[in-house]
Amino acid sequence: MKDEEKSKEQILKELIDLRRTVVADGAGDQLKREHSTAEEKYYNLFQSANDAIFIQDLNGTIIDVNNKLLALFGYDRSEIMSVRMADLVNAAEESKYRTALESLVKDGATVFEILLRRKNGESFPAEVSASTFPVNGEKVVQGTVRNISERKRAEEEFRKYRKHLEAFVAQRTDQLEAANKELESFAYSVSHDLRAPLRAMEGFASALLEDYAEKLDETGRDYANRVVSAAQHMDILIQDLLAYSRLSRSALKPNAVSLDSVLGEVMHQLSSDIQKRDAQIRVERPLPEVMGDHATLVQVLSNLLSNAIKFVEPGVKPKVNIRAETLSNKVRLWVEDAGIGIPPEYHARIFRIFERLQGMESYPGTGVGLAIVKKGLERMGGIAGVDSVPGKGSKFWVELRAKGF
Ligand SMILES: Nc1ncnc2c1ncn2[C@@H]1O[C@H](COP(=O)(O)OP(=O)(O)OP(=O)(O)O)[C@@H](O)[C@H]1O
Ligand SMILES: [Mg+2]
């Protein structure tokens, strides 16, 4: 390493001397020199390098350049000797060049991008990497110039493409959001308006049963009863749909909510159901606080718990375990049951609105509950999911940011 440096230094010194002689003598374009083998090697390397290389002093006077650099700038060797480094820089970038020189003197090495100028006035972007060497107590600069037009073009193309893509995505997102809003308000007004005629149907069918019961035979009364119960079922459907679309329309601002207090409220809501089914519910308290919305969390948990006590084999007492785990900044709340379970191919589908896997007779419901769970979680910036083995039970979970995150 030391030897190499020494010979480089020697060569540079010789080059500088020669350059000075040439300039002083006005001796023309050939650098006459006697090379030792090492110098010859170094000089050949310098000339045949793939990069354009220059050697200059700190005043910007060119000491030597290789053929690649001549080709890049369009000068021949005799011309380049009367050119100063600053002449190779695009006029608009002169101050950038000076700043680069200053940091080069300070740090001993620098890499920068700059617009350079060819002999014919044409500009091109380049990456210059330069370092200083001491020669005879004087600092000289050796550097390489790389034409980066292609890279810049590719970068520009990429930038344009990205901008185009971003604009496209933004436009599509706006369209989607608008379509979603429209659909949601459509669902809301339709379900709202559907309730009036439905009430009329139920009301008149009930009136038939009350006021004309004697005039109807058994089949007639059965038909009227079916109209009443179908209307009642449809009313529940519409109410669930309304709850769902109301949820999708309201913006939620998450704040710290205690899962213990949410669960307390849910247990109170479902208490008669829990008693009727003699359900055993174990809660691993204390449950942590999460970032969410209290009312939405009550809806979410009430749906999960009512499912957990509903979907058991007939005659089986529901057993539910509720626990939470904190994973760094997230909280995952688990509602685990020992019920009928769900085949894996349905794990994603059941979260869609109106998706149900059982008949109404065995397990009543509208299929909106889990859609509310999913939507509610989305609105609070969380996610929901399920692990389940048919016949063994289901473990539903919801994940939210922990309090303070
Ligand atoms: N804990 C569970 N165990 C087994 N299956 C379940 C469980 N929870 C949900 N499912 C299945 O997913 C379906 C959708 O659940 P979801 O809560 O959305 O509707 P639902 O309970 O049938 O009706 P709703 O909740 O609207 O009254 C259920 O019909 C059932 O097939
Ligand atoms: Mg349900």
Side-chain angles (χ1 to χ4, degrees):
M1 186 67 197
K2 262 243 139 97
D3 278 358
E4 252 175 50
E5 261 173 27
K6 203 169 156 204
S7 86
K8 201 191 259 177
E9 216 174 277
Q10 271 171 359
I11 298 155
L12 284 169
K13 179 180 172 302
E14 194 177 326
L15 280 169
I16 292 163
D17 289 346
L18 268 167
R19 159 79 176 140
R20 283 189 181 134
T21 324
V22 169
V23 172
D25 295 355
D29 59 352
Q30 286 300 319
L31 285 177
K32 300 183 189 79
R33 60 185 81 216
E34 285 179 5
H35 296 300
S36 70
T37 327
E39 285 166 349
E40 192 79 56
K41 255 195 198 155
Y42 177 79
Y43 196 73
N44 285 341
L45 252 175
F46 175 69
Q47 277 307 354
S48 60
N50 238 339
D51 283 323
I53 307 175
F54 64 87
I55 300 167
Q56 65 164 92
D57 65 17
L58 288 183
N59 300 318
T61 307
I62 293 174
I63 296 169
D64 203 0
V65 297
N66 70 352
N67 294 336
K68 267 267 153 38
L69 190 129
L70 292 174
L72 181 62
F73 285 87
Y75 287 100
D76 61 34
R77 190 161 287 283
S78 60
E79 291 168 324
I80 200 85
M81 289 309 174
S82 49
V83 167
R84 299 183 59 78
M85 280 309 282
D87 298 330
L88 301 179
V89 176
N90 178 300
E93 304 255 89
E94 248 182 70
S95 70
K96 195 172 180 183
Y97 170 65
R98 278 188 209 301
T99 315
L101 258 189
E102 276 163 25
S103 84
L104 175 63
V105 174
K106 200 167 109 259
D107 306 330
T110 186
V111 179
F112 58 99
E113 287 184 9
I114 194 163
L115 265 186
L116 297 180
R117 183 171 51 192
R118 291 200 170 92
K119 184 184 160 190
N120 65 10
E122 218 176 84
S123 285
F124 66 95
E127 185 187 84
V128 177
S129 131
S131 50
T132 56
F133 291 95
V135 176
N136 275 355
E138 229 185 289
K139 267 187 187 168
V140 294
V141 179
Q142 181 173 20
T144 59
V145 178
R146 189 166 293 169
N147 183 346
I148 54 171
S149 306
E150 267 314 308
R151 194 178 88 196
K152 285 281 168 199
R153 229 194 316 274
E155 276 172 11
E156 178 59 17
E157 198 117 304
F158 180 71
R159 207 183 54 78
K160 264 197 224 151
Y161 184 66
R162 205 179 63 187
K163 232 175 140 186
H164 174 72
L165 201 70
E166 275 168 6
F168 182 69
V169 169
Q171 190 196 359
R172 291 309 289 262
T173 310
D174 285 352
Q175 283 172 352
L176 258 173
E177 266 170 16
N180 254 347
K181 279 216 175 85
E182 212 168 288
L183 208 71
E184 278 164 9
S185 66
F186 175 73
Y188 186 82
S189 55
V190 165
S191 20
H192 201 263
D193 295 349
L194 279 178
R195 292 192 77 192
L198 192 63
R199 282 225 191 82
M201 279 160 62
E202 192 201 342
F204 283 113
S206 301
L208 256 186
L209 283 168
E210 275 171 31
D211 305 340
Y212 294 86
E214 281 113 54
K215 296 198 174 156
L216 290 171
D217 62 7
E218 204 172 318
T219 315
R221 281 195 296 274
D222 179 42
Y223 287 173
N225 266 319
R226 286 184 195 217
V227 173
V228 171
S229 65
Q232 279 167 352
H233 178 61
M234 192 164 163
D235 193 46
I236 295 173
L237 263 174
I238 290 173
Q239 277 184 51
D240 281 353
L241 198 60
L242 274 173
Y244 178 73
S245 72
R246 211 174 290 130
L247 184 69
S248 8
R249 281 162 1 125
S250 59
L252 294 177
K253 223 194 259 154
N255 44 46
V257 179
S258 148
L259 287 178
D260 270 328
S261 84
V262 169
L263 188 65
E265 205 169 315
V266 170
M267 298 275 267
H268 181 70
Q269 259 183 26
L270 298 179
S271 58
S272 74
D273 231 13
I274 293 171
Q275 268 171 19
K276 224 172 19 200
R277 294 170 191 263
D278 199 10
Q280 184 190 318
I281 295 165
R282 206 178 131 238
V283 185
E284 294 183 19
R285 287 187 207 271
L287 296 172
E289 287 183 281
V290 294
M291 297 307 287
D293 172 76
H294 187 91
T296 310
L297 274 168
V298 169
Q299 257 180 311
V300 164
L301 212 54
S302 135
N303 275 299
L304 292 181
L305 192 56
S306 75
N307 284 350
I309 58 182
K310 175 164 63 170
F311 294 102
V312 290
E313 291 292 352
V316 172
K317 280 185 192 170
K319 261 191 179 169
V320 186
N321 189 54
I322 298 174
R323 65 186 175 89
E325 56 189 19
T326 304
L327 316 145
S328 67
N329 57 348
K330 300 257 170 63
V331 168
R332 195 176 265 214
L333 179 75
W334 292 85
V335 178
E336 305 167 328
D337 64 50
I340 58 175
I342 305 152
E345 61 270 32
Y346 296 114
H347 287 186
R349 245 170 76 177
I350 51 170
F351 285 93
R352 292 193 216 145
I353 194 158
F354 299 140
E355 290 281 354
R356 307 195 69 246
L357 307 179
Q358 286 80 23
M360 273 311 262
E361 321 71 46
S362 39
Y363 299 99
T366 56
V368 179
L370 288 180
I372 285 180
V373 169
K374 184 167 177 247
K375 192 78 184 176
L377 263 293
E378 274 169 16
R379 291 262 127 174
M380 293 185 286
I383 44 171
V386 63
D387 283 349
S388 178
V389 179
K392 289 246 154 49
S394 306
K395 297 176 179 192
F396 280 85
W397 55 265
V398 297
E399 196 176 280
L400 283 161
R401 279 180 295 136
K403 181 193 172 187
F405 287 99

